Amino acid sequence: MKYPSKLIGNAVAEFTKLPGVGEKTALRLVLHLLKQDPDRVNLFSEAIAKMRNEIQYCQNCHNVADHTLCEICANPHRDSSTVCLVENLRDVIAIENTNIFRGIYHVLGGIISPIDGIGPEQLQIESLIEKVKSGTVKEVIMAISPTMEGDTTIFYISKKLSALPVKITTLARGVSFGGELEYTDETTLARSIATRLPYENYLVKNSN
Amino acid sequence: MKYPSKLIGNAVAEFTKLPGVGEKTALRLVLHLLKQDPDRVNLFSEAIAKMRNEIQYCQNCHNVADHTLCEICANPHRDSSTVCLVENLRDVIAIENTNIFRGIYHVLGGIISPIDGIGPEQLQIESLIEKVKSGTVKEVIMAISPTMEGDTTIFYISKKLSALPVKITTLARGVSFGGELEYTDETTLARSIATRLPYENYLVKNSN
Protein backbone atom coordinates (compact mmCIF):
# COMPACT_ATOMS: atom_id res chain seq x y z
CA MET A 1 0.00 0.00 0.00
CA LYS A 2 1.02 3.59 -0.55
CA TYR A 3 0.65 6.15 2.22
CA PRO A 4 0.35 9.90 1.76
CA SER A 5 2.86 10.45 4.60
CA LYS A 6 6.27 8.86 5.18
CA LEU A 7 5.77 9.17 8.95
CA ILE A 8 2.64 7.04 8.71
CA GLY A 9 4.22 4.64 6.22
CA ASN A 10 7.17 4.06 8.57
CA ALA A 11 4.96 3.51 11.61
CA VAL A 12 2.80 1.04 9.65
CA ALA A 13 5.93 -0.78 8.42
CA GLU A 14 7.21 -1.09 12.01
CA PHE A 15 3.89 -2.49 13.27
CA THR A 16 3.78 -5.10 10.49
CA LYS A 17 7.06 -6.53 11.84
CA LEU A 18 5.16 -7.72 14.93
CA PRO A 19 3.87 -11.30 14.82
CA GLY A 20 0.29 -11.62 13.58
CA VAL A 21 0.03 -7.97 12.50
CA GLY A 22 -0.75 -7.50 8.81
CA GLU A 23 -0.80 -4.22 6.92
CA LYS A 24 -4.52 -3.53 7.48
CA THR A 25 -4.21 -4.12 11.23
CA ALA A 26 -1.04 -2.02 11.37
CA LEU A 27 -2.83 0.86 9.65
CA ARG A 28 -5.75 0.55 12.08
CA LEU A 29 -3.35 0.74 15.04
CA VAL A 30 -1.50 3.72 13.54
CA LEU A 31 -4.73 5.61 12.84
CA HIS A 32 -5.82 4.89 16.41
CA LEU A 33 -2.56 6.31 17.78
CA LEU A 34 -2.91 9.31 15.49
CA LYS A 35 -6.17 10.18 17.22
CA GLN A 36 -4.58 9.97 20.69
CA ASP A 37 -2.92 12.78 22.58
CA PRO A 38 0.83 13.00 21.71
CA ASP A 39 1.72 12.54 25.42
CA ARG A 40 -0.31 9.32 25.47
CA VAL A 41 1.56 8.01 22.41
CA ASN A 42 4.91 9.02 23.93
CA LEU A 43 4.06 6.96 27.03
CA PHE A 44 3.34 3.99 24.78
CA SER A 45 6.56 4.43 22.84
CA GLU A 46 8.67 4.96 25.97
CA ALA A 47 7.24 1.96 27.84
CA ILE A 48 8.35 -0.28 24.98
CA ALA A 49 11.82 1.20 24.48
CA LYS A 50 12.42 1.27 28.27
CA MET A 51 11.30 -2.35 28.61
CA ARG A 52 13.75 -3.55 25.98
CA ASN A 53 16.65 -1.31 27.02
CA GLU A 54 16.45 -1.77 30.78
CA ILE A 55 15.42 -5.40 31.10
CA GLN A 56 17.93 -7.62 32.90
CA TYR A 57 18.14 -11.30 33.62
CA CYS A 58 17.92 -12.42 37.25
CA GLN A 59 21.33 -13.63 38.47
CA ASN A 60 19.67 -16.37 40.45
CA CYS A 61 16.89 -17.80 38.26
CA HIS A 62 17.59 -16.26 34.79
CA ASN A 63 14.05 -14.92 34.64
CA VAL A 64 13.61 -11.40 33.25
CA ALA A 65 14.12 -8.81 35.96
CA ASP A 66 14.00 -5.06 36.56
CA HIS A 67 17.11 -5.29 38.77
CA THR A 68 19.91 -7.83 39.31
CA LEU A 69 17.43 -10.11 41.09
CA CYS A 70 13.87 -10.67 39.85
CA GLU A 71 10.91 -9.75 42.08
CA ILE A 72 10.36 -13.40 42.97
CA CYS A 73 13.96 -14.21 43.99
CA ALA A 74 14.17 -10.89 45.86
CA ASN A 75 11.02 -11.64 47.83
CA PRO A 76 12.00 -13.00 51.30
CA HIS A 77 8.60 -14.67 51.65
CA ARG A 78 9.28 -17.05 48.78
CA ASP A 79 10.64 -20.48 49.71
CA SER A 80 14.01 -20.80 47.98
CA SER A 81 14.28 -24.51 48.83
CA THR A 82 11.59 -25.38 46.25
CA VAL A 83 12.70 -24.64 42.69
CA CYS A 84 10.23 -24.80 39.83
CA LEU A 85 12.07 -25.53 36.58
CA VAL A 86 10.40 -23.89 33.59
CA GLU A 87 11.18 -23.36 29.93
CA ASN A 88 10.61 -19.62 29.69
CA LEU A 89 9.05 -16.45 31.06
CA ARG A 90 5.65 -17.34 29.63
CA ASP A 91 5.51 -20.40 31.88
CA VAL A 92 6.58 -18.35 34.92
CA ILE A 93 3.68 -15.98 34.25
CA ALA A 94 1.25 -18.90 33.80
CA ILE A 95 2.30 -20.52 37.10
CA GLU A 96 2.42 -17.20 39.00
CA ASN A 97 -1.15 -16.54 37.95
CA THR A 98 -2.34 -19.76 39.64
CA ASN A 99 -1.35 -18.11 42.97
CA ILE A 100 -0.47 -21.54 44.34
CA PHE A 101 3.30 -21.74 44.07
CA ARG A 102 5.35 -20.03 46.79
CA GLY A 103 8.82 -21.32 45.84
CA ILE A 104 11.22 -19.81 43.31
CA TYR A 105 11.85 -20.52 39.63
CA HIS A 106 14.73 -21.55 37.47
CA VAL A 107 14.27 -20.50 33.82
CA LEU A 108 16.02 -22.81 31.35
CA GLY A 109 15.64 -20.44 28.41
CA GLY A 110 14.37 -23.21 26.13
CA ILE A 111 14.25 -26.99 25.93
CA ILE A 112 16.58 -29.51 24.36
CA SER A 113 15.61 -29.70 20.69
CA PRO A 114 18.19 -31.14 18.27
CA ILE A 115 15.98 -30.14 15.29
CA ASP A 116 16.24 -26.47 16.31
CA GLY A 117 19.92 -26.92 17.16
CA ILE A 118 19.36 -26.38 20.89
CA GLY A 119 21.57 -28.59 23.05
CA PRO A 120 21.90 -28.78 26.86
CA GLU A 121 24.90 -26.41 26.82
CA GLN A 122 22.73 -23.55 25.51
CA LEU A 123 20.31 -23.86 28.42
CA GLN A 124 20.69 -22.83 32.06
CA ILE A 125 21.31 -26.40 33.21
CA GLU A 126 24.81 -26.01 34.71
CA SER A 127 23.65 -23.14 36.91
CA LEU A 128 20.74 -25.30 38.15
CA ILE A 129 23.16 -28.10 39.10
CA GLU A 130 25.41 -25.60 40.88
CA LYS A 131 22.40 -24.27 42.74
CA VAL A 132 21.38 -27.79 43.82
CA LYS A 133 24.99 -28.65 44.75
CA SER A 134 25.11 -25.61 47.04
CA GLY A 135 22.64 -27.55 49.22
CA THR A 136 19.85 -25.00 49.60
CA VAL A 137 17.42 -26.78 47.25
CA LYS A 138 15.20 -29.55 48.63
CA GLU A 139 12.91 -30.08 45.65
CA VAL A 140 13.03 -29.43 41.91
CA ILE A 141 9.62 -29.40 40.22
CA MET A 142 9.95 -30.18 36.51
CA ALA A 143 7.27 -27.84 35.11
CA ILE A 144 8.15 -28.54 31.50
CA SER A 145 5.53 -29.10 28.78
CA PRO A 146 4.94 -32.86 28.23
CA THR A 147 6.10 -32.87 24.61
CA MET A 148 8.83 -35.13 23.21
CA GLU A 149 11.44 -32.35 23.58
CA GLY A 150 10.14 -31.51 27.05
CA ASP A 151 10.33 -35.12 28.21
CA THR A 152 13.87 -35.40 26.79
CA THR A 153 14.86 -32.29 28.72
CA ILE A 154 13.32 -33.61 31.95
CA PHE A 155 15.09 -36.95 31.46
CA TYR A 156 18.47 -35.29 30.80
CA ILE A 157 18.25 -33.00 33.81
CA SER A 158 16.94 -35.68 36.18
CA LYS A 159 19.94 -37.86 35.22
CA LYS A 160 22.28 -34.96 35.99
CA LEU A 161 20.60 -34.40 39.36
CA SER A 162 20.19 -38.07 40.30
CA ALA A 163 23.39 -38.24 42.36
CA LEU A 164 22.46 -35.17 44.39
CA PRO A 165 20.29 -35.17 47.55
CA VAL A 166 17.27 -33.46 46.00
CA LYS A 167 13.67 -34.56 45.44
CA ILE A 168 12.61 -34.40 41.79
CA THR A 169 8.91 -34.08 40.97
CA THR A 170 6.96 -33.41 37.78
CA LEU A 171 3.60 -31.74 37.26
CA ALA A 172 0.66 -34.13 37.55
CA ARG A 173 -0.58 -35.34 34.17
CA GLY A 174 -4.27 -36.06 33.81
CA VAL A 175 -7.65 -34.95 32.58
CA SER A 176 -8.13 -31.16 32.54
CA PHE A 177 -10.72 -29.55 34.79
CA GLY A 178 -13.79 -29.00 32.64
CA GLY A 179 -12.39 -31.45 30.09
CA GLU A 180 -14.58 -34.23 28.75
CA LEU A 181 -13.36 -37.82 29.03
CA GLU A 182 -14.50 -38.70 25.53
CA TYR A 183 -12.27 -36.00 24.02
CA THR A 184 -9.21 -36.70 26.19
CA ASP A 185 -6.37 -38.37 24.30
CA GLU A 186 -5.63 -42.00 25.11
CA THR A 187 -2.17 -41.43 26.61
CA THR A 188 -3.46 -38.83 29.04
CA LEU A 189 -6.48 -40.95 29.95
CA ALA A 190 -4.34 -44.07 30.44
CA ARG A 191 -1.92 -42.11 32.66
CA SER A 192 -4.75 -40.60 34.66
CA ILE A 193 -6.07 -44.10 35.41
CA ALA A 194 -2.62 -45.46 36.28
CA THR A 195 -1.89 -42.51 38.61
CA ARG A 196 -5.43 -42.26 40.06
CA LEU A 197 -5.75 -40.53 43.39
CA PRO A 198 -7.67 -41.26 46.58
CA TYR A 199 -10.81 -39.11 46.48
CA GLU A 200 -9.83 -37.13 49.59
CA ASN A 201 -6.77 -35.82 47.67
CA TYR A 202 -9.07 -34.58 44.91
CA LEU A 203 -10.51 -32.06 47.33
CA VAL A 204 -7.12 -30.68 48.34
CA LYS A 205 -6.70 -27.36 46.61
CA ASN A 206 -3.36 -26.13 47.85
CA SER A 207 -0.56 -28.67 47.53
CA ASN A 208 2.18 -26.32 48.60
CA MET B 1 -2.40 -11.12 35.10
CA LYS B 2 0.66 -10.56 37.24
CA TYR B 3 4.06 -10.09 35.65
CA PRO B 4 7.40 -10.76 37.33
CA SER B 5 8.74 -7.46 35.98
CA LYS B 6 7.21 -3.97 36.10
CA LEU B 7 8.92 -3.12 32.79
CA ILE B 8 7.09 -5.98 31.11
CA GLY B 9 3.84 -5.27 32.93
CA ASN B 10 3.92 -1.64 31.75
CA ALA B 11 4.68 -2.57 28.15
CA VAL B 12 1.84 -5.13 28.17
CA ALA B 13 -0.54 -2.56 29.68
CA GLU B 14 0.36 -0.06 26.94
CA PHE B 15 -0.23 -2.60 24.17
CA THR B 16 -3.65 -3.56 25.57
CA LYS B 17 -4.76 0.06 25.06
CA LEU B 18 -4.60 -0.51 21.30
CA PRO B 19 -7.87 -1.54 19.64
CA GLY B 20 -8.34 -5.30 19.29
CA VAL B 21 -5.31 -6.14 21.45
CA GLY B 22 -6.12 -8.24 24.52
CA GLU B 23 -3.74 -9.15 27.31
CA LYS B 24 -2.60 -12.46 25.77
CA THR B 25 -1.82 -10.79 22.43
CA ALA B 26 -0.08 -7.90 24.20
CA LEU B 27 2.13 -10.36 26.09
CA ARG B 28 2.95 -12.18 22.85
CA LEU B 29 4.00 -8.90 21.23
CA VAL B 30 6.08 -7.89 24.27
CA LEU B 31 7.86 -11.27 24.40
CA HIS B 32 8.53 -10.96 20.68
CA LEU B 33 10.09 -7.50 21.17
CA LEU B 34 12.09 -8.84 24.12
CA LYS B 35 13.79 -11.30 21.77
CA GLN B 36 14.71 -8.56 19.29
CA ASP B 37 17.85 -6.51 19.29
CA PRO B 38 17.45 -3.33 21.45
CA ASP B 39 18.28 -1.15 18.42
CA ARG B 40 15.49 -2.82 16.48
CA VAL B 41 13.01 -2.10 19.29
CA ASN B 42 14.21 1.49 19.55
CA LEU B 43 13.49 1.95 15.83
CA PHE B 44 9.97 0.65 16.43
CA SER B 45 9.43 2.92 19.40
CA GLU B 46 10.87 5.97 17.66
CA ALA B 47 8.86 5.50 14.46
CA ILE B 48 5.66 5.62 16.51
CA ALA B 49 6.60 8.59 18.71
CA LYS B 50 7.97 10.50 15.69
CA MET B 51 4.82 9.80 13.68
CA ARG B 52 2.56 11.22 16.40
CA ASN B 53 4.79 14.15 17.35
CA GLU B 54 5.72 15.35 13.88
CA ILE B 55 2.53 14.74 11.95
CA GLN B 56 0.91 17.87 10.54
CA TYR B 57 -2.29 18.56 8.67
CA CYS B 58 -2.01 19.75 5.08
CA GLN B 59 -2.97 23.43 4.83
CA ASN B 60 -4.68 22.81 1.52
CA CYS B 61 -6.60 19.51 1.90
CA HIS B 62 -6.46 18.79 5.69
CA ASN B 63 -4.99 15.36 5.02
CA VAL B 64 -2.15 14.23 7.30
CA ALA B 65 1.18 15.51 6.07
CA ASP B 66 4.89 15.39 6.85
CA HIS B 67 5.23 19.10 6.01
CA THR B 68 2.83 22.04 5.66
CA LEU B 69 1.53 20.54 2.41
CA CYS B 70 0.85 16.83 1.97
CA GLU B 71 2.71 14.85 -0.71
CA ILE B 72 -0.33 14.90 -2.96
CA CYS B 73 -0.99 18.66 -2.81
CA ALA B 74 2.74 19.34 -3.16
CA ASN B 75 2.97 17.17 -6.29
CA PRO B 76 2.88 19.44 -9.40
CA HIS B 77 1.71 16.50 -11.53
CA ARG B 78 -1.59 16.26 -9.67
CA ASP B 79 -4.56 18.07 -11.19
CA SER B 80 -5.72 20.61 -8.60
CA SER B 81 -8.90 21.39 -10.56
CA THR B 82 -10.43 18.01 -9.61
CA VAL B 83 -11.09 17.69 -5.89
CA CYS B 84 -12.06 14.36 -4.37
CA LEU B 85 -14.04 14.94 -1.18
CA VAL B 86 -13.44 12.17 1.39
CA GLU B 87 -14.30 11.52 5.00
CA ASN B 88 -10.85 10.67 6.33
CA LEU B 89 -7.29 9.52 5.71
CA ARG B 90 -8.37 5.89 5.39
CA ASP B 91 -10.42 6.79 2.30
CA VAL B 92 -7.51 8.76 0.83
CA ILE B 93 -5.31 5.67 1.19
CA ALA B 94 -8.01 3.44 -0.36
CA ILE B 95 -8.44 5.72 -3.38
CA GLU B 96 -4.67 6.31 -3.80
CA ASN B 97 -4.16 2.56 -3.96
CA THR B 98 -6.46 2.29 -6.99
CA ASN B 99 -3.82 4.34 -8.91
CA ILE B 100 -6.60 5.86 -10.98
CA PHE B 101 -7.16 9.28 -9.45
CA ARG B 102 -4.77 12.07 -10.44
CA GLY B 103 -6.58 15.00 -8.82
CA ILE B 104 -6.25 16.22 -5.24
CA TYR B 105 -8.27 15.51 -2.10
CA HIS B 106 -10.22 17.46 0.46
CA VAL B 107 -10.49 15.63 3.79
CA LEU B 108 -13.66 16.51 5.72
CA GLY B 109 -12.47 14.91 8.97
CA GLY B 110 -15.78 13.06 9.47
CA ILE B 111 -19.36 13.14 8.24
CA ILE B 112 -22.43 14.90 9.54
CA SER B 113 -23.85 12.68 12.28
CA PRO B 114 -26.22 14.28 14.79
CA ILE B 115 -26.21 11.08 16.90
CA ASP B 116 -22.44 11.43 17.43
CA GLY B 117 -22.82 15.21 17.89
CA ILE B 118 -20.97 16.02 14.66
CA GLY B 119 -22.44 18.99 12.81
CA PRO B 120 -21.26 20.70 9.60
CA GLU B 121 -19.30 23.32 11.56
CA GLN B 122 -16.93 20.65 12.93
CA LEU B 123 -16.02 19.48 9.43
CA GLN B 124 -13.78 21.11 6.81
CA ILE B 125 -16.75 22.33 4.77
CA GLU B 126 -16.11 26.08 4.89
CA SER B 127 -12.56 25.64 3.59
CA LEU B 128 -13.92 23.55 0.70
CA ILE B 129 -16.38 26.28 -0.22
CA GLU B 130 -13.59 28.88 -0.06
CA LYS B 131 -11.45 26.70 -2.30
CA VAL B 132 -14.28 26.36 -4.83
CA LYS B 133 -15.02 30.11 -4.64
CA SER B 134 -11.40 30.87 -5.49
CA GLY B 135 -12.24 29.50 -8.97
CA THR B 136 -9.51 26.88 -9.36
CA VAL B 137 -11.81 23.89 -8.88
CA LYS B 138 -13.73 22.49 -11.85
CA GLU B 139 -15.11 19.32 -10.29
CA VAL B 140 -15.84 18.03 -6.81
CA ILE B 141 -16.16 14.23 -6.59
CA MET B 142 -18.23 13.23 -3.55
CA ALA B 143 -16.35 10.08 -2.49
CA ILE B 144 -18.36 9.61 0.69
CA SER B 145 -19.65 6.21 1.89
CA PRO B 146 -23.28 5.71 0.78
CA THR B 147 -24.70 5.48 4.30
CA MET B 148 -27.49 7.65 5.69
CA GLU B 149 -24.98 10.02 7.31
CA GLY B 150 -22.85 10.03 4.17
CA ASP B 151 -25.81 10.87 1.95
CA THR B 152 -26.85 13.65 4.36
CA THR B 153 -23.34 15.09 4.16
CA ILE B 154 -23.31 14.93 0.34
CA PHE B 155 -26.73 16.62 0.23
CA TYR B 156 -25.66 19.40 2.62
CA ILE B 157 -22.44 20.14 0.76
CA SER B 158 -24.00 19.96 -2.71
CA LYS B 159 -26.60 22.54 -1.57
CA LYS B 160 -23.82 24.81 -0.35
CA LEU B 161 -21.96 24.45 -3.67
CA SER B 162 -25.03 24.65 -5.95
CA ALA B 163 -24.69 28.38 -6.62
CA LEU B 164 -21.03 28.07 -7.60
CA PRO B 165 -19.74 27.18 -11.10
CA VAL B 166 -18.47 23.70 -10.22
CA LYS B 167 -19.41 20.24 -11.45
CA ILE B 168 -20.49 17.90 -8.64
CA THR B 169 -20.20 14.15 -9.17
CA THR B 170 -20.56 11.13 -6.89
CA LEU B 171 -18.93 7.73 -7.07
CA ALA B 172 -20.84 5.25 -9.25
CA ARG B 173 -23.09 2.94 -7.25
CA GLY B 174 -23.62 -0.56 -8.57
CA VAL B 175 -22.79 -4.22 -8.37
CA SER B 176 -19.23 -4.93 -7.14
CA PHE B 177 -16.74 -6.61 -9.45
CA GLY B 178 -16.78 -10.28 -8.54
CA GLY B 179 -20.08 -9.74 -6.70
CA GLU B 180 -23.00 -12.07 -7.36
CA LEU B 181 -26.31 -10.59 -8.47
CA GLU B 182 -28.34 -12.86 -6.21
CA TYR B 183 -26.54 -11.55 -3.11
CA THR B 184 -26.62 -7.88 -4.11
CA ASP B 185 -29.08 -5.83 -2.07
CA GLU B 186 -32.21 -4.58 -3.81
CA THR B 187 -31.38 -0.86 -3.61
CA THR B 188 -28.00 -1.35 -5.23
CA LEU B 189 -29.41 -3.67 -7.89
CA ALA B 190 -32.28 -1.28 -8.65
CA ARG B 191 -29.85 1.66 -8.96
CA SER B 192 -27.50 -0.34 -11.15
CA ILE B 193 -30.38 -1.05 -13.56
CA ALA B 194 -31.59 2.56 -13.53
CA THR B 195 -28.06 3.88 -14.19
CA ARG B 196 -27.05 1.15 -16.64
CA LEU B 197 -24.19 1.95 -18.99
CA PRO B 198 -23.58 1.41 -22.71
CA TYR B 199 -21.40 -1.71 -22.96
CA GLU B 200 -18.51 0.21 -24.54
CA ASN B 201 -18.21 2.25 -21.31
CA TYR B 202 -17.91 -0.97 -19.33
CA LEU B 203 -14.56 -1.57 -20.97
CA VAL B 204 -13.18 1.87 -20.08
CA LYS B 205 -10.68 1.41 -17.27
CA ASN B 206 -9.38 4.89 -16.63
CA SER B 207 -12.07 7.52 -16.22
CA ASN B 208 -9.67 10.30 -15.33
Side-chain angles (χ1 to χ4, degrees), chain A residues 47-65:
Chain A
I48 290 158
K50 199 171 148 79
M51 183 267 297
R52 185 63 193 89
N53 293 328
E54 296 184 13
I55 205 84
Q56 300 181 44
Y57 289 89
C58 175
Q59 288 181 337
N60 188 41
C61 73
H62 314 290
N63 188 7
V64 294

Side-chain angles (χ1 to χ4, degrees), chain A residues 4-144:
Chain A
S5 150
K6 281 200 185 59
L7 293 168
I8 289 185
N10 283 346
V12 169
E14 286 295 333
F15 266 116
T16 55
K17 286 174 188 160
L18 296 177
V21 178
E23 200 165 355
K24 290 250 170 182
T25 307
L27 179 60
R28 194 159 57 97
L29 298 178
V30 165
L31 294 182
H32 169 84
L33 290 174
L34 211 53
K35 275 189 279 180
Q36 307 301 307
D37 197 68
D39 292 345
R40 189 75 276 299
V41 177
N42 286 338
L43 282 180
F44 172 79
S45 153
E46 278 160 22
I48 290 158
K50 199 171 148 79
M51 183 267 297
R52 185 63 193 89
N53 293 328
E54 296 184 13
I55 205 84
Q56 300 181 44
Y57 289 89
C58 175
Q59 288 181 337
N60 188 41
C61 73
H62 314 290
N63 188 7
V64 294
D66 296 349
H67 309 289
T68 47
L69 280 183
C70 73
E71 285 185 8
I72 297 166
C73 288
N75 183 344
H77 301 294
R78 304 287 295 224
D79 168 18
S80 62
S81 70
T82 308
V83 173
C84 185
L85 188 68
V86 291
E87 187 182 332
N88 55 34
L89 169 62
R90 219 180 283 249
D91 296 338
V92 172
I93 293 171
I95 295 173
E96 279 300 286
N97 280 289
T98 65
N99 280 318
I100 209 161
F101 181 66
R102 302 304 304 159
I104 60 169
Y105 295 90
H106 186 91
V107 180
L108 283 177
I111 46 176
I112 298 171
S113 173
I115 287 176
D116 302 317
I118 301 174
E121 66 290 340
Q122 281 148 277
L123 306 176
Q124 295 292 350
I125 294 177
E126 272 312 307
S127 58
L128 173 71
I129 292 164
E130 290 306 313
K131 203 187 282 177
V132 174
K133 273 185 183 161
S134 76
T136 53
V137 182
K138 288 188 195 143
E139 180 179 356
V140 174
I141 304 173
M142 302 278 187
I144 309 282

